[in-house]
Amino acid sequence: MEKFTPAFLLEAENIMTKEIKKIGIVGAGQMGGGIAHVSALAGYDVYINDLTPDVINAGIASVEGNLARQVSSEKISSEDRDAALAKLHAANDMQDLADCDLVIEAASENEAIKRQIYNSVCPVLKPGAILATNTSSISITRMASSTDRAEQFIGIHFMNPVPVMKLVEIVRGIATDDETFEAARNYVDRLGKIYAVSEDFPGFMVNRILIPMINEAIYTLYEGVGSVESIDTSLRLGANHPMGPLQLADFIGLDTCLSIMQVLHDGLSDTKYRPCPLLVKYVEAGWLGKKSGRGFYDYRGEEPVPTR
Ligand code: NAD
């Protein structure tokens, strides 16, 4: 007699079996590199894309450096590093992402740039492929609606630095289907990370809380309440934060912090989220923090020196 399997079980089996093997990453900056790093270490084939081959190669070189550091500190073996490096590939052309099961966009926090990437990557992707974004704050639902696969679009929001930070926020858009959600959860599990599910509202959970605190620290500096050093020392020793808020802002990138404040301000229409003018000024100066060599600290010498 033929075995009867109820439809809901078939559906559940299907949900369990959507397997991800090959991952594309668009954006080879600090986050894209980090996501490539942990994905390759977990055994996924990883294809990295950015604007030019030079940027892609620089991204891969920085992953190599970070893997080497993990070998030196005995977090991974040299065999693990070699296996991960063999899994990392440059995708100089979007076409190289054609048979990826999952593509994670980790480009600059700018909705127009992200939409333009979806416009060029979607026609290349196979029908079942999942498209994810690492956005820190932009609406998943709105960006999904600009693609040909709103059901297979999801937020997989890693924290910086990706190889170190345990948490990943998973954010469903209004149309994201269960299969995509399960695939994202399985992927995060396989990376050995812990996920927290957030509803799709500006800033999700971590940045809704963290970035206004950083913005307030910048106001505290702007209004002359304290210097860079005294504000950071206060929060480190007075609130037991591992890093001061201004040091953390430099680490995240001041352009990213400003974009997130703008998203909170626009999306929640509350003046309490207005970006501090000093943050705007630093970004306008190109003082974006650690990645550009200068922010609330100057990183160009041996030791970081406060800039105010
Ligand atoms: P980054 O500036 O280090 O890297 C962004 C990369 O995107 C650059 O290499 C840039 O060349 C590339 N890029 C820009 N336009 C592109 C295009 N059209 N096609 C391909 N690549 C393009 O920024 P980041 O800190 O890695 O942030 C990337 C994303 O991750 C943003 O959405 C940010 O909000 C999010 N995020 C950042 C942090 C953080 O702490 N920095 C944490 C979590 C999430």
Side-chain angles (χ1 to χ4, degrees):
M1 206 171 79
E2 213 173 295
K3 198 177 141 223
F4 171 72
T5 312
F8 72 89
L9 278 184
L10 277 176
E11 209 170 279
E13 267 170 29
N14 256 341
I15 290 174
M16 307 272 296
T17 53
K18 184 153 190 173
E19 206 189 342
I20 292 167
K21 288 188 176 149
K22 189 168 166 182
I23 297 183
I25 296 172
V26 182
Q30 25 179 11
M31 296 306 291
I35 298 166
H37 177 139
V38 296
S39 301
L41 266 183
Y44 292 102
D45 280 312
V46 179
Y47 289 76
I48 309 175
N49 172 268
D50 204 298
L51 289 171
T52 65
D54 282 353
V55 183
I56 296 171
N57 293 336
I60 293 177
S62 114
V63 177
E64 274 187 58
N66 292 334
L67 283 166
R69 208 165 309 136
Q70 283 187 310
V71 174
S72 308
S73 58
E74 295 180 0
K75 292 208 171 67
I76 61 170
S77 67
S78 48
E79 290 78 25
D80 295 336
R81 176 204 52 203
D82 295 346
L85 285 176
K87 294 272 178 192
L88 284 179
H89 313 275
N92 291 326
D93 199 305
M94 279 291 182
Q95 205 61 45
D96 298 333
L97 306 182
D99 60 342
C100 285
D101 307 298
L102 165 68
V103 169
I104 304 175
E105 169 275 307
S108 319
E109 187 74 343
N110 174 312
E111 191 165 340
I113 291 176
K114 291 182 186 294
R115 280 172 182 256
Q116 185 219 318
I117 290 171
Y118 306 149
N119 283 343
S120 43
V121 80
C122 283
V124 166
L125 294 180
K126 60 186 180 188
I130 295 172
L131 184 55
T133 174
N134 185 50
T135 180
S136 306
S137 59
I138 305 173
S139 164
I140 304 301
T141 299
R142 191 171 62 236
M143 291 202 289
S145 73
S146 74
T147 73
D148 60 355
R149 57 192 73 224
E151 295 76 11
Q152 290 147 244
F153 190 97
I154 193 159
I156 304 181
H157 179 220
F158 289 85
M159 308 292 134
N160 188 16
V162 181
V164 176
M165 301 296 278
K166 272 278 183 203
L167 186 82
V168 176
E169 284 181 311
I170 299 184
V171 190
R172 296 179 75 148
I174 201 166
T176 309
D177 63 23
D178 290 344
E179 205 178 358
T180 299
F181 179 63
E182 286 305 321
R185 285 208 314 192
N186 289 341
Y187 165 61
V188 172
D189 273 347
R190 187 162 147 195
L191 299 181
K193 304 221 177 269
I194 308 295
Y195 63 83
V197 179
S198 170
E199 289 298 321
D200 182 22
F201 285 102
F204 315 130
M205 295 180 298
V206 172
N207 286 325
R208 169 82 176 259
I209 300 166
L210 180 66
I211 304 295
M213 183 206 70
I214 286 176
N215 193 50
E216 197 60 31
I218 302 170
Y219 267 113
T220 309
L221 177 69
Y222 176 63
E223 290 170 8
V225 181
S227 65
V228 168
E229 223 162 8
S230 53
I231 291 167
D232 275 353
T233 304
S234 299
L235 269 285
R236 268 192 293 109
L237 305 184
N240 234 0
H241 289 194
M243 243 188 211
L246 301 170
Q247 188 191 2
L248 180 58
D250 275 0
F251 190 69
I252 293 169
L254 302 190
D255 51 342
T256 301
C257 292
L258 177 58
S259 300
I260 297 170
M261 283 313 295
Q262 283 162 340
V263 166
L264 291 173
H265 194 227
D266 295 349
L268 299 165
S269 302
D270 190 327
T271 54
K272 77 178 176 185
Y273 297 113
R274 67 200 188 283
C276 178
L278 188 61
L279 172 62
V280 176
K281 190 184 278 195
Y282 268 58
V283 172
E284 283 173 352
W287 293 15
L288 306 182
K290 213 157 180 233
K291 65 182 170 186
S292 70
R294 197 162 19 172
F296 292 110
Y297 294 84
D298 189 334
Y299 299 91
R300 293 169 301 169
E302 296 246 308
E303 291 290 319
V305 180
T307 52
R308 281 180 106 76

